[in-house]
């Protein structure tokens, strides 16, 4: 009997259906020479400190550095405290019996780091020695599943993926357990002050931004504006220079009327720049970019978006969602024209699908070297029947992005007119000449939001024009905005660095905080710990969160770039880098932060 183990029952049922296995048993489905069983996500986890003899929270135990980590069955809360989940124990017994009887074991957990970890922990906990094969697919469609089973890979091909996942799991235990106990002990707190390898620098980013805004002192400055008339078409120009003193602004303001221009309020055109600019289409979506867009457009949390995407994936409508890649390879690109053609019946996108059938497709998102475990998120071509609300909106973001990514460039004409009238003024305007990819959603050009003029008239250098209005404007400098989920996810990609260019941000993805698949959980953890709350769409630290931040802000555990480097090291292990070197470094890091935190929290809650 061939035993297939999936990550959860719903996936096992879909796999069984493809193979015509219909006989339902306790904990598995069998038929056609296969048995399909499942986990319930993480059945096993690294054992807690007491399993290594660290009983109670005591300073002398720290740092806790187990020589060899143990696995324990997932626990649940009861009136008697934490106990083994009996459902997990039962399912593990079923899996063990199936493995013992298996002629072949096929791993069908999610094709990624966490999916590999879920299976390997079960495999090692059950002390199974049988070789296994790996199903690696990016889509749950029947054809993708059949193709995947025709091309099963040897399990050892994914040893480095497991090594990366296992190192991540152990490093999170070492940092989280030691840092949490160290700070809680030194603070004398009656409650647990949770810290974590990724959680804490993320909290630091939120708190730092909040305090920066709270302590921001706005500076007043002055700017001049004129409205110029060109044959009945009015346009607005702003002074090139800002003025710190109102008196200086008023002196220049008075001079606007003093030019010998032949008009009561005259201006001369000093320079005109008009040049076309081609704006390439956006890259295809990965998980993080989709979560950002869903938060902006639908106010969905990162966790809500991930859950919707998982549902669409299991419904065979989209490819694997927990991807960090925004590219596809040439093999996948070969199927893109067919995917686009299947959108011809879409109410909103049909005309764009028709158009793309007549032109050469843009290949900006095609680069096999930038595809990691999974390619960018795509629709599968299956018909999305009866989708509504947020599910439909998310699906349409993916389908629409497919059309945008392979559409033509957007061609703009950017005009800058420099006007002289006692001082220099500049009028900016942007006109879209060929909408290209921007026509898919008809989204406003982000760059046009702050433009003074939607379009500008044709003018000539040295041309004199009347000024019909002038104004002296008092303005104030503004702080950055609070983080919302979209802006935080964007910042996590680059460990807090402000980088707008999407390809540069993508190049830094291995040095970001967490991974696309874990960032939603990080945000939810901070909220569950009562360190952060959602206020409308913003993420705002609580008094407790700020108190923790004040203690750790100068410590290594709060440094985003350092944590980003650990993430990069984990990805290097995925590519074959030394596990021993990583473990040695994370052990030294744990010793350092534990020592810092044992001294840091003294008196943190004293009034």
């Amino acid at each position: 009997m061939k035993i297939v183990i999936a990550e959860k029952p719903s996936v096992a049922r879909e796999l069984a259906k493809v193979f015509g296995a219909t006989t339902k048993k306790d904990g598995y489905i069998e038929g056609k020479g296969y048995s399909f069983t499942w986990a319930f996500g993480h059945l096993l986890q690294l054992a807690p400190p007491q399993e290594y003899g660290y009983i109670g929270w005591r300073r002398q135990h720290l740092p806790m550095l187990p020589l060899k980590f143990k696995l324990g069955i997932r626990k649940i809360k009861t009136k008697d405290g934490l106990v083994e989940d009996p459902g997990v124990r039962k399912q593990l017994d079923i899996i063990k019996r199936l493995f013992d009887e298996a002629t072949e074991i096929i791993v069908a957990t999610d094709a990624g780091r966490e999916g590999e970890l879920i299976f390997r922990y079960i495999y090692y906990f059950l002390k199974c020695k049988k070789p296994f094969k790996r199903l690696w697919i990016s889509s749950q469609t029947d054809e993708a599943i059949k193709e995947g089973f025709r091309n099963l890979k040897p399990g050892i091909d994914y040893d480095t993926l497991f090594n990366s996942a296992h190192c991540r799991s152990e490093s999170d235990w070492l940092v989280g357990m030691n840092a949490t106990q160290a700070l809680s002990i030194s603070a004398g707190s009656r409650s647990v002050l949770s810290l974590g390898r990724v959680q804490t620098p993320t909290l630091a980013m939120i708190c730092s931004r909040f305090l920066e805004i709270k302590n921001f002192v706005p500076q007043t400055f002055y700017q001049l504006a004129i409205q110029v008339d060109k044959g009945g078409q009015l346009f607005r120009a702003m002074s090139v220079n800002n003025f710190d003193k109102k008196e200086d602004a008023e002196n220049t303001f008075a001079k606007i009327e003093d030019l010998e221009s032949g008009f009561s309020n005259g201006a001369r055109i000093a320079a005109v720049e008009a040049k076309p600019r081609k704006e390439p289409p956006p890259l295809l979506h990965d998980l993080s970019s989709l979560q950002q867009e869903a938060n902006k457009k639908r106010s969905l949390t990162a966790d809500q978006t991930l859950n919707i995407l998982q549902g669409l994936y299991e419904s065979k409508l989209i490819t694997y969602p927990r991807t960090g890649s925004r590219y596809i390879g040439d093999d996948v690109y070969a199927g893109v024209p067919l995917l686009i053609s299947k959108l011809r019946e879409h109410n909103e996108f049909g005309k764009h699908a028709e158009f793309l059938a007549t032109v050469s497709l843009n290949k900006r998102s095609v680069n096999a070297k930038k595809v990691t475990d999974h390619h960018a998120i795509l629709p599968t071509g299956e018909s999305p029947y009866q989708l509504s609300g947020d599910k439909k909106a998310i699906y349409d973001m993916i389908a629409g992005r497919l059309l945008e990514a392979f559409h033509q460039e957007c061609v703009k004409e950017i005009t800058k007119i420099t006007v002289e009238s006692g001082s220099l003024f500049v009028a900016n305007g942007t006109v879209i000449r060929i909408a290209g990819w921007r026509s898919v959603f008809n989204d406003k050009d982000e760059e046009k939001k702050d433009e003074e003029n939607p379009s500008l008239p044709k003018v000539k250098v040295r041309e004199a024009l009347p000024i019909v209005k002038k104004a002296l404007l008092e303005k104030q400098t503004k702080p950055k905005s609070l983080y919302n989920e979209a802006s935080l996810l964007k910042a996590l990609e680059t460990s807090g660095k402000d980088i707008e260019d999407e390809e540069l941000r993508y190049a830094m993805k291995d040095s970001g905080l967490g991974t696309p698949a874990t960032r939603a959980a990080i945000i939810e953890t901070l909220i569950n710990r009562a360190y952060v709350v959602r206020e409308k769409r913003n993420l705002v630290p609580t008094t407790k969160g700020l108190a923790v931040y004040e203690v750790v802000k100068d410590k290594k555990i709060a440094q985003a770039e350092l944590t980003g480097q650990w993430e990069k090291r984990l990805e290097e292990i995925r590519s074959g880098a030394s596990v021993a070197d990583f473990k040695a470094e994370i052990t030294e890091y744990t010793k350092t932060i534990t020592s810092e935190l044992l001294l840091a929290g003294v008196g943190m809650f004293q009034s």
Side-chain angles (χ1 to χ4, degrees), residues 16 66 83 85 95-96 148 197 234 264 314 351-352 392 404 422 470 491 512 564 580:
V83 299
D85 185 331
I95 294 170
K96 176 172 174 51
R197 183 180 62 87
L234 303 179
S264 59
E314 291 180 21
K351 63 181 181 180
H352 300 289
K392 182 179 185 303
E404 286 183 319
K470 64 177 183 176

Side-chain angles (χ1 to χ4, degrees), residues 299-451:
S299 297
L300 293 171
T301 68
D303 194 50
Q304 287 171 330
T305 300
L306 179 55
N307 288 333
I308 291 170
L309 288 169
Q310 186 66 27
L312 292 173
Y313 173 63
E314 291 180 21
S315 298
K316 308 178 186 292
L317 296 177
I318 65 168
T319 59
Y320 186 71
R322 287 179 169 82
T323 178
S325 177
R326 301 188 66 179
Y327 294 85
I328 60 174
D330 290 295
D331 56 337
V332 177
Y333 173 72
V336 165
L338 179 59
L339 290 179
I340 291 173
S341 72
K342 291 195 174 184
L343 293 173
R344 288 180 178 179
E345 303 304 315
H346 193 286
N347 291 339
E348 297 173 47
F349 302 143
K351 63 181 181 180
H352 300 289
E354 293 279 1
F355 171 76
L356 289 179
T358 67
V359 298
S360 297
L361 299 182
N362 191 302
K363 297 185 71 174
R364 184 181 180 219
S365 292
V366 183
N367 189 334
K369 292 180 180 178
K370 293 184 178 180
V371 177
T372 49
D373 291 338
H374 293 278
H375 57 68
I377 303 173
L378 297 171
T380 60
E382 298 286 323
S383 296
Y385 293 117
Q386 297 181 326
L387 289 182
S388 61
D390 291 334
K391 287 183 180 179
K392 182 179 185 303
I394 296 295
Y395 178 84
D396 283 352
M397 287 178 196
I398 297 167
R401 178 52 62 89
L402 170 71
L403 297 172
E404 286 183 319
F406 295 98
H407 216 294
Q408 294 184 316
E409 294 174 319
C410 172
V411 181
K412 309 173 184 176
E413 186 176 89
I414 299 174
T415 305
K416 177 181 176 183
I417 299 176
T418 304
V419 180
E420 187 176 3
S421 182
S423 184
L424 289 180
F425 296 78
V426 168
N428 292 305
T430 300
V431 177
I432 293 180
R433 297 300 183 194
I434 301 174
W437 65 269
R438 283 194 176 277
S439 64
V440 176
F441 283 109
N442 287 316
D443 282 344
K444 290 182 179 179
D445 186 344
E446 291 289 327
E447 294 181 5
K448 283 187 70 176
K449 288 184 177 178
D450 296 325
E451 292 283 359

Side-chain angles (χ1 to χ4, degrees), residues 86-98:
V88 170
R89 169 59 76 180
K90 178 182 176 183
Q91 188 64 14
L92 283 169
D93 289 342
I94 291 168
I95 294 170
K96 176 172 174 51
R97 179 172 59 80
L98 291 171

Side-chain angles (χ1 to χ4, degrees), residues 67-108:
L67 292 176
K68 187 175 181 180
F69 280 91
K70 302 175 183 177
L71 290 171
I73 291 176
R74 190 173 69 198
K75 304 247 187 328
I76 55 172
K77 285 184 178 180
T78 67
K79 62 180 192 240
D80 300 319
L82 286 174
V83 299
E84 274 189 9
D85 185 331
V88 170
R89 169 59 76 180
K90 178 182 176 183
Q91 188 64 14
L92 283 169
D93 289 342
I94 291 168
I95 294 170
K96 176 172 174 51
R97 179 172 59 80
L98 291 171
F99 279 7
D100 288 343
E101 297 170 356
T103 57
E104 184 176 307
I105 296 172
I106 299 170
V107 185

Side-chain angles (χ1 to χ4, degrees), residues 425-575:
F425 296 78
V426 168
N428 292 305
T430 300
V431 177
I432 293 180
R433 297 300 183 194
I434 301 174
W437 65 269
R438 283 194 176 277
S439 64
V440 176
F441 283 109
N442 287 316
D443 282 344
K444 290 182 179 179
D445 186 344
E446 291 289 327
E447 294 181 5
K448 283 187 70 176
K449 288 184 177 178
D450 296 325
E451 292 283 359
E452 297 294 338
N453 304 279
S455 63
L456 290 169
K458 297 290 185 183
V459 296
K460 297 179 181 179
V461 175
R462 292 190 295 278
E463 185 176 1
L465 298 171
I467 296 173
V468 298
K469 191 184 292 185
K470 64 177 183 176
L472 192 158
L473 307 173
E474 181 177 309
K475 297 184 175 182
Q476 287 190 325
T477 54
K478 295 180 180 180
K480 294 178 179 178
S481 299
L482 287 167
Y483 278 121
N484 56 36
E485 294 208 25
S487 58
L488 181 62
L489 287 168
K490 186 176 180 181
L492 291 174
E493 290 179 325
T494 57
S495 295
K497 292 183 179 178
D498 291 326
I499 297 174
E500 291 301 318
D501 184 276
E502 62 178 352
E503 291 195 90
L504 288 178
R505 283 206 320 274
Y506 184 83
M508 288 191 65
K509 71 181 182 68
D510 291 340
S511 299
L513 290 182
T515 66
T518 61
R519 288 171 189 143
I522 293 165
I523 295 171
E524 295 304 318
T525 295
L526 291 173
I527 291 169
N528 292 335
R529 302 289 188 204
Y531 288 166
V532 173
V533 293
R534 290 188 178 96
E535 289 187 2
K536 295 182 179 178
R537 291 182 58 190
N538 293 323
L539 296 169
V540 180
T542 62
T543 301
K544 181 180 179 182
L546 287 168
V548 171
Y549 169 69
E550 283 300 319
V551 174
V552 303
K553 64 183 180 182
D554 297 322
K555 308 296 185 288
K556 281 190 174 184
I557 195 170
Q559 294 175 10
E561 284 197 40
L562 182 59
T563 303
Q565 287 303 311
W566 288 124
E567 206 63 56
K568 187 176 182 181
R569 293 295 306 281
L570 289 170
E571 190 57 33
E572 288 170 351
I573 289 171
R574 168 75 176 89
S575 301

Side-chain angles (χ1 to χ4, degrees), residues 113-382:
R113 197 161 75 178
E114 286 308 295
E116 190 69 21
L117 188 71
I118 286 169
F119 164 71
R120 295 286 185 121
Y121 274 3
I122 293 171
Y123 181 80
Y124 293 126
F125 182 80
L126 298 179
K127 296 182 171 57
C128 186
K129 303 293 184 183
K130 293 182 179 180
F132 54 88
K133 292 182 179 178
R134 189 58 159 106
L135 174 71
W136 194 268
I137 55 177
S138 290
S139 167
Q140 290 280 0
T141 63
D142 291 2
E143 185 50 45
I145 291 169
K146 290 174 183 176
E147 181 66 20
F149 271 89
R150 285 194 291 267
N151 293 280
L152 295 171
K153 308 292 184 183
I156 58 173
D157 287 2
Y158 298 92
D159 284 353
T160 57
L161 180 64
F162 167 67
N163 290 340
S164 174
H166 189 44
C167 284
R168 193 275 308 155
S169 181
E170 289 188 353
S171 63
D172 283 352
W173 191 101
L174 288 169
V175 173
M177 293 293 184
N178 283 289
T180 296
Q181 289 199 22
L183 182 60
S184 300
I185 289 169
S186 67
S189 172
R190 294 182 180 179
S191 59
V192 174
L193 298 176
S194 171
L195 298 180
R197 183 180 62 87
V198 180
Q199 168 193 324
T200 302
T202 304
L203 173 65
M205 287 170 58
I206 296 170
C207 291
S208 175
R209 174 66 62 85
F210 173 82
L211 293 173
E212 181 183 342
I213 295 167
K214 181 181 178 183
N215 299 326
F216 182 81
V217 179
Q219 301 294 316
T220 300
F221 68 95
Y222 302 89
Q223 198 172 18
L224 307 179
I226 58 175
Q227 195 170 44
V228 182
D229 185 355
K230 166 65 176 180
Q233 183 176 353
L234 303 179
F235 65 93
R236 195 174 192 227
M238 303 298 296
S239 58
V240 173
N241 296 320
N242 296 335
F243 302 88
D244 294 330
K245 296 179 180 178
K246 190 173 184 179
E247 182 182 356
D248 293 339
E250 288 173 335
N251 289 338
T252 304
F253 183 72
K255 293 177 184 178
I256 294 173
E257 301 184 26
D258 296 338
L259 284 187
E260 297 177 2
S261 59
F263 299 99
S264 59
N265 286 332
R268 288 188 184 277
I269 305 302
V272 180
E273 296 178 45
K275 50 188 175 183
R277 176 183 160 195
K278 293 181 178 180
E279 185 181 24
L283 296 170
L284 290 164
H285 276 308
D286 66 358
L287 173 59
S288 186
S289 66
L290 251 176
Q291 288 171 319
Q292 291 171 48
E293 185 167 335
N295 184 249
K296 290 175 185 175
K297 291 184 175 180
R298 304 284 296 188
S299 297
L300 293 171
T301 68
D303 194 50
Q304 287 171 330
T305 300
L306 179 55
N307 288 333
I308 291 170
L309 288 169
Q310 186 66 27
L312 292 173
Y313 173 63
E314 291 180 21
S315 298
K316 308 178 186 292
L317 296 177
I318 65 168
T319 59
Y320 186 71
R322 287 179 169 82
T323 178
S325 177
R326 301 188 66 179
Y327 294 85
I328 60 174
D330 290 295
D331 56 337
V332 177
Y333 173 72
V336 165
L338 179 59
L339 290 179
I340 291 173
S341 72
K342 291 195 174 184
L343 293 173
R344 288 180 178 179
E345 303 304 315
H346 193 286
N347 291 339
E348 297 173 47
F349 302 143
K351 63 181 181 180
H352 300 289
E354 293 279 1
F355 171 76
L356 289 179
T358 67
V359 298
S360 297
L361 299 182
N362 191 302
K363 297 185 71 174
R364 184 181 180 219
S365 292
V366 183
N367 189 334
K369 292 180 180 178
K370 293 184 178 180
V371 177
T372 49
D373 291 338
H374 293 278
H375 57 68
I377 303 173
L378 297 171
T380 60
E382 298 286 323

